[in-house]
Amino acid sequence: MSLAYADEAIRIRQLAPLTERDIARATGAGVSTVSAWLHRTRAPTGRRAERLVELSAIIDRLAAVLEADYVPVWLNRPLTALGHRKPIDVLAGGGYEELSRLVAALESPTFT
């Protein structure tokens, strides 16, 4: 079993203080499953692995524009730009591209 995906879950937690529950919500896994990933006794596969990699990509980008401690707050906050949905739920529902566009706006805000 390759633990590369489990290592990605660990890396996410090093970049931003996401809880096991946050990672579980974003990936569709159970909290105990995420705990196993973080302890490297299991690794995500299939759709959960895909969501984990998408979460990782979003976290990488958010960590560059937000304080690390605020990243979990931002992910769990209903946003007008997402129709009052939470970014973590958008990601969990397969909306990586939509969320990526929103993060792009944070990365290069326009000033008037």
Side-chain angles (χ1 to χ4, degrees):
M1 161 180 71
S2 170
L3 294 173
Y5 284 100
D7 291 340
E8 196 65 14
I10 293 166
R11 194 180 74 72
I12 287 169
R13 295 265 311 255
Q14 292 169 344
L15 290 173
L18 270 68
T19 64
E20 291 176 5
R21 185 172 304 280
D22 289 333
I23 296 171
R25 189 170 181 175
T27 61
V31 174
S32 62
T33 299
V34 171
S35 179
W37 299 346
L38 295 171
H39 287 98
R40 299 186 86 241
T41 58
R42 291 178 60 190
T45 59
R47 185 182 56 80
R48 291 177 180 158
E50 183 179 330
R51 294 290 177 263
L52 182 67
V53 171
E54 292 170 348
L55 175 63
S56 176
I58 292 294
I59 296 299
D60 282 344
R61 293 170 62 196
L62 287 174
V65 296
L66 300 174
E67 294 292 328
D69 288 344
Y70 190 71
V71 170
V73 175
W74 188 89
L75 286 171
N76 284 285
R77 185 178 185 165
L79 300 176
T80 305
L82 294 173
H84 302 285
R85 293 173 293 156
K86 298 175 182 180
I88 202 162
D89 293 335
V90 171
L91 186 62
Y96 171 78
E97 291 177 6
E98 180 181 8
L99 191 53
S100 181
R101 285 189 294 273
L102 182 58
V103 173
L106 294 174
E107 292 168 325
S108 28
T110 56
F111 295 97
T112 57

